[in-house]
Amino acid sequence: MTLSMAGALNRGLADALEADDRVLVFGEDVGPLGGVFRVTDGLTARFGEKRVFDTPLAESGIVGTAIGMAMNGLRPVVEMQFDAFAYPAFEQITSHLAKLRNRTRGKVELPVVVRIPYGGGIGGVEHHCDSSEMYYTHTPGLRVVTPGTPEDAYHLLRASIDSPDPVIFLEPKRLYWAKSEVDFAAGVPMDRAVVRRTGSDVTLIAYGPMVQVALETADAAREEGWDAEVVDLRTLSPFDDETVAASVRKTGRAVVVHEASGFCGYGAEVAARLTERCFHHLHAPILRVTGYDIPYPPPKLEEHHLPNVDRVLDAIARLQWDDEVIGVA
């Protein structure tokens, strides 16, 4: 079936609500309106206002309520309307949602999914576009996932709702309307990265909104004589060292691509882990292509901030392709 990412997420929520009476969906305007991006469209009409309902404009209250519900046996799925709107709930997420299972030595599970539309590419105004993944991946106790395709959106959401751990589910806003085939049969497990395109010369590592950029870059790189492999991380925490390291050991070169700022960004952790695990296989330093170290720019400047094919190609070109320079016989 061909679905947009928003459609795949809607189907995932509907199937989860149908399969388990403990699942609830709530947040700002997710009820009759169907959410700002219409991801919850039609769910209130189908499942009723006791299971899919609107909340006050109070993000900390939304997450706090979800924590209490989960402590009492329910499986809440909450929506933060935009990425930067989630910050008022940050204390609830980092101090309570992430820590309670550890604090109770596993006696209290918090199967809460926090859905957050994130990233740029839609021309959003201030507070409506951000890349906040590193805040959550830095917090032990949270799983953090982000789909790069409609099919992954469906399977990752279903797996997140079934998880006994709290999950931060980051939905790339720019991909909500991207369409592709969705197979509802069992997908790739939640904690595994996937190789979207095989190659032999360089590994492009991306996630969420940058997966498509990496794939387009791989096509363009072939015209320049480089055979690029593309790895979609899918789950940012925990990190799939095995799959990613295997790719980099094969190609000997790597570029990490993400929208968030470069300084202390997620790509820094990826580069460090791969350097530790693949040092003797590397032909060049691992490079990063990221957003700039500035607040998210206004809509008219956004295209200059976000990584694109040309910037990734420039990074590939800097990977020391002259064997004499790197001392390879």
Side-chain angles (χ1 to χ4, degrees):
M1 176 184 294
T2 300
L3 286 175
S4 66
M5 182 173 286
L9 291 167
N10 180 275
R11 172 69 180 267
L13 290 170
D15 288 353
L17 286 160
E18 184 71 36
D20 190 341
D21 290 340
R22 298 172 298 169
V23 176
L24 304 172
V25 175
F26 56 95
E28 299 166 7
D29 295 324
V30 304
L33 178 66
V36 172
F37 298 100
R38 302 300 186 265
V39 172
T40 55
D41 188 37
L43 297 183
T44 297
R46 179 175 172 184
F47 295 99
E49 293 185 352
K50 291 186 177 181
R51 298 193 64 199
V52 183
F53 53 89
D54 292 334
T55 66
L57 306 182
E59 286 79 11
S60 63
I62 293 170
V63 176
T65 299
I67 291 170
M69 289 178 166
M71 291 175 68
N72 286 277
L74 297 175
R75 306 186 80 88
V77 182
V78 302
E79 178 182 305
M80 303 286 103
Q81 203 167 64
F82 288 91
D83 31 35
F85 289 11
Y87 297 144
F90 196 67
E91 196 275 335
Q92 289 282 3
I93 291 172
T94 58
S95 296
H96 304 289
L97 185 64
K99 293 181 171 63
L100 195 57
R101 189 175 186 186
N102 178 268
R103 191 180 297 149
T104 61
R105 298 185 179 182
K107 293 180 180 178
V108 177
E109 294 182 352
L110 289 182
V112 177
V113 177
V114 181
R115 294 180 42 245
I116 303 177
Y118 88 115
I122 64 165
V125 297
E126 187 177 14
H127 304 307
H128 289 70
C129 288
D130 210 350
S131 292
S132 47
E133 58 266 31
M134 198 59 176
Y135 298 136
Y136 303 113
T137 58
H138 186 69
T139 305
L142 298 175
R143 292 178 181 268
V144 183
V145 302
T146 178
T149 68
E151 183 167 297
D152 254 3
Y154 175 84
H155 290 296
L156 284 172
L157 183 57
R158 292 298 309 275
S160 297
I161 295 171
D162 290 340
S163 172
D165 298 313
V167 178
I168 305 299
F169 195 91
L170 300 172
E171 301 172 4
K173 292 193 288 285
R174 69 160 71 182
L175 297 184
Y176 272 138
W177 303 279
K179 292 184 177 182
S180 66
E181 286 296 311
V182 176
D183 183 353
F184 298 110
V188 178
M190 184 164 73
D191 297 338
R192 304 296 293 182
V194 297
V195 177
R196 296 285 179 200
R197 183 188 188 280
T198 59
S200 58
D201 296 334
V202 56
T203 299
L204 304 181
I205 302 165
Y207 55 86
M210 287 292 104
V211 172
Q212 188 59 41
V213 172
L215 289 170
E216 292 172 3
T217 302
D219 290 338
R222 181 175 289 278
E223 298 179 6
E224 303 292 334
W226 300 310
D227 187 15
E229 182 154 295
V230 176
V231 176
D232 178 358
L233 296 181
R234 303 173 71 251
T235 297
L236 305 186
S237 180
F239 187 80
D240 182 3
D241 288 295
E242 181 182 355
T243 301
V244 185
S247 175
V248 174
R249 289 183 186 126
K250 179 181 73 170
T251 64
R253 294 176 172 86
V255 177
V256 189
V257 188
H258 61 69
E259 284 189 14
S261 300
F263 185 76
C264 292
Y266 189 77
E269 174 64 23
V270 176
R273 298 178 79 90
L274 291 174
T275 299
E276 292 168 357
R277 291 160 175 78
C278 307
F279 182 78
H280 294 290
H281 298 265
L282 292 174
H283 302 318
I286 297 169
L287 299 182
R288 293 173 288 159
V289 179
T290 72
Y292 297 111
D293 295 332
I294 59 173
Y296 241 77
K300 290 184 178 180
L301 299 177
E302 189 180 47
E303 64 176 299
H304 304 292
H305 175 75
L306 301 176
N308 57 29
V309 170
D310 287 340
R311 287 179 60 193
V312 183
L313 283 175
D314 287 343
I316 295 174
R318 290 188 284 116
L319 286 173
Q320 300 182 359
W321 295 96
D322 186 346
D323 288 347
E324 294 181 2
V325 173
I326 59 176
V328 176

